[in-house]
């Protein structure tokens, strides 16, 4: 029986062997609960059907650490982002009364595993990996960067070098295209779901090479390592603002409608009083006049969201690609 999809039976009979019984024990050493969980890992329950892990019923399992560990999505230069996030980290510390430390993550899988194991309490997960964080690590998305009017999101953009012979999507046939990583929404999942509608099947009509990040995909186009690359518009805009590439060296081939951007999450087992303070810190933070505001141009505040509604389009894209939220599939 696949314990990730089926409920554990009540009344385990005494004849079960120790090895068999061990299958019912989580990484925390606690027995898995018999509960509704949908697509969530067997470690979590979802009795209210909101698609995210419930707060543990046992109050002794609630976590209220002296030091909060915060992480942003994997980026090319984590040290730069540690400095950029410092104004917010100071604000989060002031509101929660906790020491807050920035944790530089090297990959999506490492970030998800850190929250799953209890080493990460608050985190920004990229769009595509967010469902993995929700289902595998008990992450609870509650905020996005946006405007005071409630607008948010980014688009999938396809770039090529300015002197290439690619002028429309059909021209990608036979080319070498730099996708970012298997779990990335705009860097892989959305192209696989959306491009076939335009007569281009990734992996069949063109060769896919994984770059590892949006930054590397874009720089690969500039260097002509890739003939083209699908990337997130927000990353491209930040790179251009920092002068990491010459905008005259690239040409926009196609752009999608807007997707939700990085989700901000807390671990499902944090004490409710602490969660209330974390939410307060995010929603009260103003980007204007901070390094964070300069980095994320056009962003003014964090706005409230929920995973069930705001990630529906992403789950649909991933479902169309046959994505299953397992640890083996998280890369």
């Amino acid at each position: 029986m696949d314990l990730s999809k089926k409920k554990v039976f009540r009344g385990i009979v005494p004849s079960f062997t120790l090895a068999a019984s061990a299958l019912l024990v989580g990484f925390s050493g606690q027995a898995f609960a018999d509960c509704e969980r949908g697509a969530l890992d067997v470690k979590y329950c979802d009795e209210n059907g909101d698609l995210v892990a419930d707060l543990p019923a046992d109050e002794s399992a609630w976590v209220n650490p002296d030091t909060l560990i915060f992480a942003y999505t994997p980026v090319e230069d984590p040290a730069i982002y540690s400095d950029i996030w410092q104004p917010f980290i100071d604000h989060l510390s002031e509101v929660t009364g906790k020491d807050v430390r920035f944790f530089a993550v090297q990959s999506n899988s490492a970030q998800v595993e850190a929250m799953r194991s209890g080493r990460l309490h608050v985190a920004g997960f990229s769009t595509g990996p967010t469902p993995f964080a929700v289902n595998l690590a008990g992450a609870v998305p509650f905020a996005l960067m946006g405007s005071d009017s409630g607008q948010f999101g980014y688009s999938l953009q396809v770039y090529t070098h300015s002197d290439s012979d690619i002028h429309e999507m059909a021209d990608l046939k036979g080319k070498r295209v730099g996708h970012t990583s298997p779990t990335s929404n705009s860097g892989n999942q959305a192209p696989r779901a959306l491009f076939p509608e335009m007569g281009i099947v990734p992996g069949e009509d063109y060769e896919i090479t994984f770059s590892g990040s949006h930054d590397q995909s874009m720089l690969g186009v500039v260097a002509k390592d890739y003939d083209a690359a699908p990337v997130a518009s927000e990353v491209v805009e930040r790179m251009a603002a920092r002068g990491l590439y010459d905008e005259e060296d690239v040409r926009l081939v196609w752009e999608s409608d807007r997707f939700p951007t990085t989700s901000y999450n807390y671990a499902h087992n944090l004490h409710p009083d602490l969660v209330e303070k974390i939410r307060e810190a995010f929603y009260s933070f103003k980007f204007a006049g901070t390094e964070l505001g300069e980095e994320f141009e056009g962003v003014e505040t964090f706005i409230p969201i929920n995973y069930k509604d705001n990630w529906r389009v992403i789950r649909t894209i991933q479902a169309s690609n046959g994505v299953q939220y397992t640890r083996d599939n998280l890369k």
Side-chain angles (χ1 to χ4, degrees), residues 127-128 144-145 151-159 180 184-191 194-195 198 214 217-218 229-238 245 252-262 297 299 313-314 317:
T127 302
L144 289 176
M145 289 182 178
Q151 296 298 310
F152 63 86
Y154 73 100
S155 61
L156 157 60
Q157 296 177 326
V158 178
Y159 280 92
T180 60
S184 173
N185 179 61
S186 54
N188 185 58
Q189 294 293 331
L194 301 178
F195 289 2
M198 295 178 279
H214 294 275
S217 287
M218 198 64 182
V231 289
S233 61
E234 58 177 358
V235 177
V236 173
E237 291 164 2
R238 291 199 298 271
Y245 73 95
L252 179 64
V253 178
W254 180 81
E255 184 172 13
S256 74
D257 292 334
R258 298 183 76 78
F259 302 120
T261 186
T262 297
E297 188 175 352
V299 171
V313 63
I314 305 303
I317 288 172

Side-chain angles (χ1 to χ4, degrees), residues 41 43-44 71-74 103 105-121 123-126 128-139 183 265 267 325-331:
D41 185 85
K43 293 180 66 176
Y44 313 111
Y72 182 55
T73 60
F103 174 43
V105 295
Q106 303 300 319
S107 67
N108 294 318
S109 58
Q111 187 181 24
V112 170
E113 188 60 35
M115 181 167 283
R116 179 182 173 92
S117 65
R119 294 179 289 112
L120 179 61
H121 307 115
F125 289 101
S126 295
T130 289
F132 285 87
V134 167
N135 288 289
L136 295 177
T183 58
N265 306 251
Y325 304 124
T326 66
R327 297 169 84 183
D328 288 340
N329 289 338
L330 178 60
K331 299 176 181 178

Side-chain angles (χ1 to χ4, degrees), residues 312-326:
R312 181 178 290 111
V313 63
I314 305 303
R315 296 196 303 271
T316 299
I317 288 172
Q318 293 180 338
S320 73
N321 289 318
V323 172
Q324 295 184 337
Y325 304 124
T326 66

Side-chain angles (χ1 to χ4, degrees), residues 1-10 12 16 19-27 30-45 116 135-136 325-326:
M1 179 173 66
D2 184 352
L3 295 182
S4 68
K5 295 182 179 179
K6 298 184 179 180
K7 293 187 289 185
V8 179
F9 289 109
R10 298 181 187 274
I12 305 300
F16 263 32
S21 298
L23 293 175
L24 304 179
V25 179
F27 293 97
Q30 297 177 329
F32 294 140
D34 179 7
C35 60
E36 295 296 332
R37 56 176 53 91
L40 296 179
D41 185 85
V42 73
K43 293 180 66 176
Y44 313 111
C45 294
R116 179 182 173 92
N135 288 289
L136 295 177
Y325 304 124
T326 66

Side-chain angles (χ1 to χ4, degrees), residues 259-282:
F259 302 120
T261 186
T262 297
S263 66
Y264 293 88
N265 306 251
Y266 57 81
H268 81 292
N269 59 344
L270 292 186
H271 194 288
D273 293 343
L274 176 56
V275 167
E276 183 178 353
K277 290 293 186 181
I278 291 171
R279 286 178 174 270
E280 178 187 341
F282 272 81

Side-chain angles (χ1 to χ4, degrees), residues 39-232:
L40 296 179
D41 185 85
V42 73
K43 293 180 66 176
Y44 313 111
C45 294
D46 178 24
E47 294 288 5
N48 61 5
D50 63 358
L51 305 187
V52 299
D54 298 335
L55 178 71
D58 181 0
E59 293 188 17
S60 67
W62 296 357
V63 176
N64 195 0
D66 293 331
T67 299
L68 284 176
I69 307 300
F70 171 81
Y72 182 55
T73 60
V75 291
E76 188 64 22
D77 192 343
I80 291 178
Y81 275 81
S82 176
D83 294 337
I84 289 171
W85 276 98
Q86 194 58 49
F88 173 76
I89 289 174
D90 292 340
H91 178 72
L92 180 60
S93 178
E94 180 180 355
V95 175
T96 62
K98 305 284 187 179
D99 180 29
V100 181
R101 298 181 185 176
F102 184 89
F103 174 43
V105 295
Q106 303 300 319
S107 67
N108 294 318
S109 58
Q111 187 181 24
V112 170
E113 188 60 35
M115 181 167 283
R116 179 182 173 92
S117 65
R119 294 179 289 112
L120 179 61
H121 307 115
V122 184
F125 289 101
S126 295
T127 302
T130 289
F132 285 87
V134 167
N135 288 289
L136 295 177
V140 181
F142 68 97
L144 289 176
M145 289 182 178
S147 66
D148 287 333
S149 64
Q151 296 298 310
F152 63 86
Y154 73 100
S155 61
L156 157 60
Q157 296 177 326
V158 178
Y159 280 92
T160 188
H161 198 278
S162 56
D163 63 7
S164 82
D165 59 356
I166 299 173
H167 295 275
E168 57 186 37
M169 292 299 287
D171 296 332
L172 293 179
K173 290 186 176 180
K175 304 297 186 180
R176 187 167 182 258
V177 179
H179 285 209
T180 60
S181 64
T183 58
S184 173
N185 179 61
S186 54
N188 185 58
Q189 294 293 331
R192 289 182 182 274
L194 301 178
F195 289 2
E197 298 177 356
M198 295 178 279
I200 295 293
V201 180
E204 294 182 15
D205 292 324
Y206 64 72
E207 176 189 353
I208 293 175
T209 299
F210 288 112
S211 68
S213 70
H214 294 275
D215 308 61
Q216 288 299 324
S217 287
M218 198 64 182
L219 294 176
V221 169
V222 173
K224 300 184 180 180
D225 294 331
Y226 312 124
D227 297 308
V231 289

